[in-house]
Amino acid sequence: MNIIFLGPPGSGKGTMAERVGKEMKLAHISTGDILRAEIKAGSELGGLAKSYIDKGALVPDSVIIDMMRERFKQDDAKGGVLLDGFPRTVAQAEALDSLTAIDAVINLEVDVQVIVNRVIARRVCEQCGCVYSVKTHAASDCSKCGGKLVIRPDDNEQTVRERFRVYEEQTQPLIDFYAQRGIVSNVDATMPIEEEAAYIIDILNTEKI
Ligand code: AMP
């Protein structure tokens, strides 16, 4: 089974994708995580990506498509994938069609003001990438590995609003792209995390994909 998670920045895509991926034994592939790892490693791709990410802009399609073509060659992608943050443009969705068939699209819906409040409160472990909210985790270190919690450079209000604008302009058209195939399920992304994960798993199981 191959699934796409769509949703604006701060919709909880990453958290949900990780939980659902684990439960359904699918490889969780996050383009944002891959790009951040490249930045951390100081690679050429990372250097290029950083200039776009810091502005809240999208990394060019050709770069992302080449990166994903390589990612899909890895063994874990053969048993089914849960795509988080890809595709983000129609050109990427068309390229994805040549890599694999998509069975379901989970579209996470949430209002922009809720997103701004969430993203400003987001903290990420600089060692393991684990995500927290200062609203529920006041400590400054990671409870899993003890790493320091930091603010993602693109998690400031101005960049978040720009990422939301880019999402509406470039990624929202994908909802129609996949709705025409009858495979989109809309999910209210303001539910408590456990409830939302169970709801999504239920959708995917009952659709018997
Ligand atoms: P995310 O972690 O999914 O919020 O992604 C963080 C940033 O990485 C985005 O704001 C983009 O700059 C970049 N990015 C991630 N995935 C893609 C993609 N599929 N296409 C273009 N840029 C991407």
Side-chain angles (χ1 to χ4, degrees):
M1 188 192 300
N2 298 309
I3 303 167
I4 294 171
F5 269 41
L6 285 181
S11 57
K13 253 188 326 6
T15 307
M16 260 322 119
E18 200 189 322
R19 279 173 189 248
V20 174
K22 214 173 265 172
E23 178 75 25
M24 305 205 62
K25 301 190 171 41
L26 300 170
H28 170 206
I29 302 179
S30 156
T31 40
D33 284 352
I34 298 173
L35 294 170
R36 282 184 287 276
E38 293 286 342
I39 292 172
K40 205 171 170 189
S43 71
E44 197 180 326
L45 168 60
L48 173 83
K50 187 171 167 38
S51 58
Y52 293 93
I53 294 176
D54 286 353
K55 284 189 292 205
L58 293 185
V59 175
D61 283 335
S62 57
V63 174
I64 296 289
I65 291 167
D66 285 351
M67 182 179 98
M68 289 304 274
R69 202 171 280 131
E70 288 307 307
R71 182 63 185 84
F72 266 85
K73 287 182 187 161
Q74 292 178 25
D75 279 350
D76 65 341
K78 309 223 158 62
V81 294
L82 199 163
L83 299 174
D84 160 12
F86 175 85
R88 255 179 160 99
T89 63
V90 171
Q92 291 181 17
E94 285 168 351
L96 175 60
D97 278 340
S98 68
L99 293 175
T100 193
I102 296 300
D103 302 295
V105 176
I106 297 294
N107 178 37
L108 302 181
E109 297 181 302
V110 56
D111 183 74
V112 64
Q113 196 50 52
V114 175
I115 286 172
V116 169
N117 293 341
R118 264 190 198 175
V119 169
I120 287 173
R122 178 156 67 187
R123 299 290 180 273
V124 183
C125 173
E126 66 177 359
Q127 274 180 40
C128 72
C130 211
V131 179
Y132 296 89
S133 168
V134 287
K135 293 178 190 164
T136 52
H137 184 92
S140 59
D141 51 0
C142 177
S143 40
K144 285 197 184 145
C145 75
K148 191 175 155 217
L149 300 187
V150 295
I151 301 175
R152 258 170 63 171
D154 55 343
D155 276 354
N156 60 75
E157 179 160 357
Q158 195 189 350
T159 311
V160 172
R161 288 198 183 273
E162 174 60 10
R163 282 158 64 202
F164 191 81
R165 192 196 64 73
V166 168
Y167 177 81
E168 284 189 315
E169 185 183 282
Q170 312 236 39
T171 310
Q172 210 131 286
L174 293 184
I175 299 167
D176 286 341
F177 182 93
Y178 289 112
Q180 283 167 10
R181 302 181 186 179
I183 57 171
V184 177
S185 299
N186 296 319
V187 172
D188 170 7
T190 59
M191 280 188 256
I193 291 178
E194 298 300 337
E195 201 181 308
E196 188 182 324
Y199 182 78
I200 293 171
I201 290 164
D202 207 39
I203 291 175
L204 296 172
N205 283 332
T206 51
E207 285 190 353
K208 299 217 173 12
I209 297 156

